[in-house]
Amino acid sequence: MAPHPGAGPAAGSAGDLAGAPVTTLRGVGPRVAERLARLGVRSVQDLLLHLPLRYEDRTRVTPIGALAPGETAVVEGEVELASARPGRRAALVCLLGDGTGRLTLRFFHFGSGLQAQLARGTRLRAYGEVRPGPAGLEMVHPEHRVLPGAEPVPLDTALTPVYPSTEGLTQSLLRRLAAAALAALEAAPGLELLPGDLLRRTGLPPMAQALRLLHRPEPQAPLDALLSGQHPARQRLAFEELLAYLLSLRALRARSDRLPAPALRPGGGLARRLRDELPFRLTAAQERVVAEVERDLARSRPMQRMLQGDVGSGKTVVAALAAALAVEAGFQVAVMAPTELLAEQHLRTLRRWFVPLGVEVAWLSGRQAGKEREECLRRLAAHEARVVVGTHALFQGGVRFAALGLVVVDEQHRFGVHQRLALWEKGLRLGRYPHQLIMTATPIPRTLAMTAYADLDLSVLDELPPGRQPIETVAMPEARRGEVVARIRQACAAGRQAYWVCTLIEESEVLEAEAAEATAARLRASLPGIAVGLVHGRMRPGDRDAVMAAFQAGDVRLLVATTVVEVGVDVPRASLMVIENAERLGLAQLHQLRGRVGRGSERSTCVLLYRGPLSETARRRLSVIRRHTDGFAIAEEDLRLRGPGEVLGTRQTGLLQFRVADPLRDRGLLEQVSAAAHDLARDPERVAALLRRWGGDRVDYGHV
Ligand code: ADP
Ligand code: MG
């Protein structure tokens, strides 16, 4: 169990040990190392961060007479009888007695060795789960050992950890390796990466103590707290991990702050003319955010700002004003949306605003035909096009900007963090980085946002434009579909417009499109005289754009759509929405979809059609969405129902995958973590060691 000499304290600080591969431990060859790697365990230090899933108590012997079914226990006794029963399920049955009672031990797989071992009169210690059997209580395949002589054999003094494992790694090997890693690191200077005053201030235990407790808890340790993560030892590790995460994002930001960006000094009055042209006045929140953006743009380091605003809070006009500022300063602007549909809408909106002011808006999409695309690329490279709207096609190879000054990314949760960074790389070629404005309608609690997007400055539109009416939301079973159709007939006859959203559980655009087509056909049949339009992801972009334009113009009264309308679509006159299969959708998606109505001054309604029977979660979701319209409140509920990974939409990017921490459970730590990150910034060596320990140095920010 002693560590390999190379892994011992002699090797130097824990910083070095962090990098020491597991193969430096005795008994770890390439095969075991490969299996450990499957658990994310590569270094000796990783072994320590690989925490037990649960614990077994082998520290005391339970008298057989006191055993209860369902309990897992250690017993000791004498073999009174052992016999092999032949038959289809051959079994070796052994009767163990200790004077307080008798227990059957049953083995289905056994050889002559075991049979010989369990001879009558042998003293045995067994550990296993107690179950009711045909003749009293029994243990099936207990772990067991023969006790030599009459002398007492010491019991374990600590609880036995059970680690997450994978094929080919036994618990006993994992336990041995964890103990070896503990012995190697405990004594090493540098295991403790948090300064003493921080530990005192937070009341968190030192690392060595926390690790010892987690890997070898005393028999009296509070298991509930240990397993739920509330125990100070777990909190200590969570604190460190969150700290490392925050530091890695701040380091990323610090690097980007040193990069040159064009300081945009507007002076052409374009933004002012755009304001004058708007049919409304900006809300106070919009004014505040525009001012924040303007200040950032004037600096010679790249703006990295995230704009959070609930559905319908008016983010687009903020983006347009930012674009105007960049254009009048002589630079180009790229506006990127996550879907073609949304990009097309931004194109229409920005053209409506910019063309009268003499600024052309170009279009770049992945599906564009050769010639048109060529022409767009040429105009971008020649600085003829000053504003360009598109999808991720904007940052594919071959797109060159003459003077890209600002990138606006709409509905960021649809883009992975890595895409965000890739887009940014565009500026590299020019030696200058564009300013970035990232807009998201996925509200997340502020402390969580500060952690997840610690590399960004945060602006919040916490106010809706005036005159909005609350949306009435009702849930109705599928059986009442007829009533819903009648309601649509009425609404459309009264001059209103409506959405009918078809959703499917399968992630198949084809099936979804087919379902939408079928629904549209049925609705057309039951709603004669009402212009019904259809949009889905598989239509030719031109056709889809024509339908959306007709809906916007009011010529189409009822729009049947797939979830392509989920984000961003803005048709203020539409005031009724029906969502089919609402029970299958998550809260964030329901909130986004519903946000397509309630954008005008008319009172809006959202009907959630569901198919029963409802699961408990579905029932809770529908109830939350009916009771709340505020995105932040919904996000809180969503967090409670689903956990933060999904809420943040970062599951795919892998950026928010923690080993120990859970930003939701541990959010009580976040303020202190944030303060600690601030203080530690002055201690680069410690920061580097923290990043190495928690893998923050592996996050691929390579290009920055
Ligand atoms: P989102 O934040 O969801 O992207 P949009 O930018 O699409 O919201 O704006 C929603 C609607 O509100 C649009 O029709 C927009 O023109 C309108 N709007 C934006 N700002 C204001 C305002 N200050 N006063 C009135 N209407 C506004
Ligand atoms: Mg929007």
Side-chain angles (χ1 to χ4, degrees):
M1 225 175 260
H4 187 274
S13 76
D16 302 327
L17 289 176
V22 281
T23 46
T24 56
L25 294 176
R26 186 173 297 161
V28 183
R31 233 167 28 126
V32 170
E34 185 266 319
R35 286 171 187 163
L36 285 170
R38 266 186 262 152
L39 300 171
V41 173
R42 290 179 182 79
S43 66
V44 175
Q45 185 166 258
D46 288 342
L47 272 168
L48 291 180
L49 305 179
H50 189 64
L51 297 183
L53 276 177
R54 57 188 178 83
Y55 302 92
E56 292 173 351
D57 187 352
R58 305 177 185 206
T59 63
R60 62 205 157 81
V61 174
T62 307
I64 291 177
L67 289 176
E71 172 180 15
T72 304
V74 179
V75 293
E76 270 181 24
E78 205 173 287
V79 176
E80 299 185 353
L81 185 80
S83 65
R85 311 252 160 100
R88 219 159 30 93
R89 295 209 75 190
L92 179 65
V93 176
C94 163
L95 211 56
L96 197 70
D98 70 352
T100 70
R102 289 205 180 89
L103 178 71
T104 305
L105 310 183
R106 193 180 293 274
F107 300 88
F108 291 109
H109 314 283
F110 63 96
S112 51
L114 183 64
Q115 213 169 340
Q117 207 184 36
L118 299 184
R120 204 180 149 157
T122 309
R123 288 213 328 123
L124 210 62
R125 179 179 291 168
Y127 175 82
E129 194 188 332
V130 180
R131 306 192 204 163
L137 296 179
E138 58 179 48
M139 282 183 185
V140 177
H141 280 283
E143 288 176 40
H144 63 281
R145 66 189 277 190
V146 171
L147 301 176
E151 290 148 48
V153 174
L155 283 152
D156 288 355
T157 53
L159 299 179
T160 308
V162 179
Y163 293 97
S165 187
T166 182
E167 225 183 305
L169 284 180
T170 62
Q171 287 298 326
S172 65
L173 178 64
L174 285 170
R175 282 174 201 143
R176 204 163 51 73
L177 294 177
L182 205 55
L185 288 193
E186 217 172 8
L191 174 66
E192 184 55 67
L193 294 180
L194 300 186
D197 64 327
L198 177 60
L199 292 181
R200 271 189 300 282
R201 209 166 49 240
T202 55
L204 293 167
M207 189 64 164
Q209 187 184 323
L211 288 174
R212 220 179 304 126
L213 201 141
L214 289 165
H215 289 280
R216 299 191 55 75
E218 305 176 337
Q220 311 79 11
L223 283 187
D224 286 351
L226 273 179
L227 296 178
S228 70
Q230 312 291 352
H231 193 280
R234 278 234 173 210
Q235 293 272 294
R236 152 71 211 230
L237 266 68
F239 188 97
E240 225 193 84
E241 183 169 34
L242 289 168
L243 179 61
Y245 173 76
L246 212 58
L247 287 168
S248 73
L249 286 184
R250 296 225 173 132
L252 172 68
R253 177 58 189 264
R255 270 175 285 169
S256 85
D257 277 350
R258 287 193 293 271
L259 298 169
L264 305 185
R265 301 256 150 70
L270 184 65
R272 211 195 51 246
R273 278 185 288 143
L274 174 56
R275 263 170 194 272
D276 292 345
E277 188 195 303
L278 291 173
F280 48 75
R281 282 170 58 106
L282 297 190
T283 62
Q286 284 168 325
E287 290 287 6
R288 188 186 63 235
V289 174
V290 169
E292 283 165 353
V293 169
E294 188 165 359
R295 258 198 312 278
D296 282 359
L297 291 178
R299 299 202 171 114
S300 55
R301 59 160 196 254
M303 168 168 81
Q304 302 261 57
R305 186 166 287 280
M306 167 168 280
L307 169 54
Q308 261 199 50
D310 205 351
V311 175
S313 59
K315 294 182 287 296
T316 316
V317 71
V318 173
L321 286 166
L325 289 169
V327 168
E328 66 181 271
F331 284 84
Q332 291 171 300
V333 181
V335 178
M336 181 164 74
T339 65
E340 294 241 341
L341 187 84
L342 186 50
E344 285 156 13
Q345 174 183 281
H346 281 330
L347 182 69
R348 281 194 301 274
T349 307
L350 293 181
R351 279 192 174 150
R352 191 170 73 234
W353 286 338
F354 277 114
V355 172
L357 304 176
V359 177
E360 264 189 64
V361 181
W363 169 246
L364 193 67
S365 102
R367 307 205 198 177
Q368 225 161 10
K371 237 182 160 170
E372 209 187 314
R373 184 184 160 81
E374 294 287 291
E375 174 59 9
C376 178
L377 294 183
R378 190 194 62 74
R379 293 168 50 75
L380 286 175
H383 204 167
E384 287 173 30
R386 297 199 278 173
V387 180
V388 62
V389 179
T391 55
H392 49 272
L394 280 173
F395 63 93
Q396 273 153 10
V399 185
R400 282 192 172 63
F401 292 89
L404 184 59
L406 170 67
V407 172
V408 178
V409 183
D410 194 16
E411 303 294 352
Q412 188 267 340
H413 65 290
R414 288 290 178 112
F415 288 109
V417 173
H418 294 294
Q419 275 167 302
R420 171 153 67 80
L421 295 169
L423 174 71
W424 208 46
E425 225 179 5
K426 284 262 151 244
L428 189 63
R429 260 182 237 112
L430 303 163
R432 279 204 288 205
Y433 289 81
H435 296 281
Q436 273 204 96
L437 179 65
I438 292 140
M439 308 200 289
T440 173
T442 314
I444 53 174
R446 200 177 168 90
T447 40
L448 210 50
M450 276 163 49
T451 314
Y453 304 115
D455 59 327
L456 303 174
D457 293 314
L458 199 59
S459 287
V460 183
L461 284 182
D462 50 7
E463 180 185 3
L464 291 178
R468 294 277 167 85
Q469 303 276 340
I471 305 172
E472 184 203 1
T473 304
V474 292
M476 281 191 175
E478 182 58 39
R480 291 171 64 187
R481 197 184 175 94
E483 276 172 56
V484 178
V485 174
R487 205 159 167 166
I488 290 196
R489 187 180 303 121
Q490 246 173 21
C492 290
R496 293 166 66 187
Q497 285 179 273
Y499 293 92
W500 186 290
V501 184
C502 305
T503 68
L504 278 187
I505 197 164
E506 291 90 345
E507 288 275 301
S508 155
E509 234 189 16
V510 180
L511 291 179
E512 208 179 45
E514 281 171 6
E517 271 162 15
T519 304
R522 261 186 297 148
L523 287 170
R524 280 192 182 112
S526 40
L527 295 170
I530 291 174
V532 178
L534 169 68
V535 290
H536 57 66
R538 296 190 47 86
M539 289 166 72
R540 292 221 323 268
D543 295 348
R544 197 176 48 213
D545 196 33
V547 176
M548 285 311 294
F551 188 53
Q552 223 144 24
D555 297 335
V556 163
R557 311 303 302 181
L558 173 63
L559 185 70
V560 178
T562 59
T563 49
V564 292
V565 295
E566 179 182 337
V567 290
V569 169
D570 180 44
V571 180
R573 268 188 301 195
S575 60
L576 175 59
M577 169 170 279
V578 179
I579 304 176
E580 274 191 293
N581 300 322
E583 80 280 5
R584 292 170 176 174
L585 302 184
L587 275 176
Q589 198 174 12
L590 284 169
H591 178 60
Q592 283 294 326
L593 277 170
R594 181 177 57 183
R596 300 311 116 216
V597 295
R599 305 189 140 232
S601 49
E602 195 153 359
R603 214 182 158 81
S604 295
T605 310
C606 178
V607 180
L608 308 170
L609 269 183
Y610 66 86
R611 219 179 280 263
L614 289 178
S615 70
E616 185 48 34
T617 330
R619 189 186 310 280
R620 275 162 66 191
R621 278 201 302 256
L622 292 184
S623 142
V624 167
I625 202 81
R626 275 192 357 246
R627 280 183 290 120
H628 295 280
T629 47
D630 172 43
F632 281 93
I634 292 171
E636 285 279 351
E637 297 288 341
D638 205 14
L639 270 175
R640 228 160 277 153
L641 287 173
R642 292 197 306 166
E646 284 184 61
V647 175
L648 295 170
T650 44
R651 187 150 276 187
Q652 319 86 308
T653 69
L655 200 65
L656 260 192
Q657 274 175 7
F658 293 102
R659 296 201 225 189
V660 181
D662 172 338
L664 173 59
R665 182 194 62 208
D666 302 326
R667 64 178 143 163
L669 296 175
L670 291 175
E671 297 235 345
Q672 279 180 317
V673 167
S674 174
H678 183 79
D679 294 345
L680 286 192
R682 285 184 295 265
D683 192 347
E685 268 174 46
R686 207 188 281 271
V687 170
L690 277 164
L691 297 197
R692 267 199 310 279
R693 172 174 291 171
W694 293 100
D697 58 336
R698 285 205 293 269
V699 181
D700 178 26
Y701 302 131
H703 60 280
V704 179

